[in-house]
Amino acid sequence: MLSPAPGAARLAARRRAAEAAGDRLLVVYLTLGDPLTSGPPGLGPVLAAAGVDVLELGLPTPGTRPRGAVVGASFERASGTPPAQVWAELGELRRRLPDVPLVLLVYPETVADLGWPALLAESVRRGVDGMVLTRPSVADLRRVSAAGLSAIPLIPPNVASSFARDLEEAASGLTYRPLAARTGDPLEPESVGRLAARIRAGATTPFIVGFGIRNEEEIRAAVPHVAGVVIGSEFIARISAVPESGRTSYVGGLIQRWKSATRPTGVADPGGDP
């Protein structure tokens, strides 16, 4: 049997700290093994120092092909990285960032390639805090929770309301709600707040939002309604255009601006009840 991991408690503590400070979680996505973000220089510690609350991490496996173009390209760049090196990179992130929640992005293909026993055991051993399941089942969420990890279902807008409720009940107190159909799909700036408010009106569990958020204006539009925002494709696209020599300083300034946008005054309670 797996030994319980501290992940669920660590992520919950970070959420409480954000709420006590009057802000929301800033979650930024990286693909493990992608030389663009893995280094040199490794950007994980730079992100944490600049104010990122949670790192969401893609785990490249042979069969995993994300649909979003930018994240898909990141997986392609990481495809030649040996699995042992990917897990070692994750373990090094945990060593260097002992207080930052690390959450894996898990596709069905990830599970097909690795198998649940190996995926959970290695995640616990490397200090993972939780998993975002892109096509979740209640049984899989319970499996993740039983391993001591935070189980975070991605709940698309077109899912049946009864199934959404089942996923919310099986989640570890937090769900992930996409605003666009795919990662990297652009949104109309004025639609971000409207979409987040619509989700909140029907949600029973606090949620983070992602897919399409690109700048401070859109972060500010979302935060009155959410527990946090996730930025992945936009982050990777931006740093792709920056020379390696200037990447660290650029990332620091970018994250500081994004984090400042999660700290509005007079925001509503992000809980499930409107």
Side-chain angles (χ1 to χ4, degrees), residues 131-206:
M131 293 183 175
V132 172
L133 304 188
T134 62
R135 289 207 289 274
S137 69
V138 169
D140 286 343
L141 291 169
R142 289 174 176 164
R143 190 193 310 260
V144 171
S145 294
L149 305 176
S150 291
I152 306 170
L154 190 148
I155 306 178
N158 58 351
V159 71
S161 59
S162 58
F163 185 50
R165 292 290 183 275
D166 290 343
L167 295 177
E168 287 180 306
E169 290 177 4
S172 301
L174 189 69
T175 67
Y176 187 148
R177 301 295 189 118
L179 298 178
R182 297 181 302 179
T183 59
D185 282 0
L187 295 166
E188 294 296 328
E190 63 273 12
S191 71
V192 172
R194 184 180 70 250
L195 291 170
R198 183 183 304 164
I199 294 169
R200 183 168 182 260
T204 61
T205 302

Side-chain angles (χ1 to χ4, degrees), residues 14-24 259 262-264:
R14 183 57 63 99
R15 284 180 54 205
R16 288 194 300 270
E19 291 175 9
D23 66 4
R24 303 293 184 254
K259 182 57 190 174
T262 72
R263 297 175 175 139

Side-chain angles (χ1 to χ4, degrees), residues 107-120:
Y107 296 89
E109 295 83 1
T110 315
V111 178
D113 285 341
L114 301 178
W116 273 118
L119 175 59
L120 291 171

Side-chain angles (χ1 to χ4, degrees), residues 189-262:
E190 63 273 12
S191 71
V192 172
R194 184 180 70 250
L195 291 170
R198 183 183 304 164
I199 294 169
R200 183 168 182 260
T204 61
T205 302
F207 57 92
I208 54 178
V209 291
F211 289 38
I213 294 177
R214 295 168 294 180
N215 53 47
E216 295 94 312
E217 178 186 1
E218 294 175 356
I219 294 171
R220 290 190 184 98
V223 294
H225 314 288
V226 305
V229 296
V230 186
I231 305 182
S233 295
E234 180 67 16
F235 176 71
I236 295 172
R238 289 200 188 198
I239 64 172
S240 298
V242 177
E244 184 179 303
S245 60
R247 201 168 289 154
T248 298
S249 59
Y250 173 80
V251 166
L254 176 66
I255 296 305
Q256 287 172 9
R257 294 193 302 274
W258 283 353
K259 182 57 190 174
S260 69
T262 72

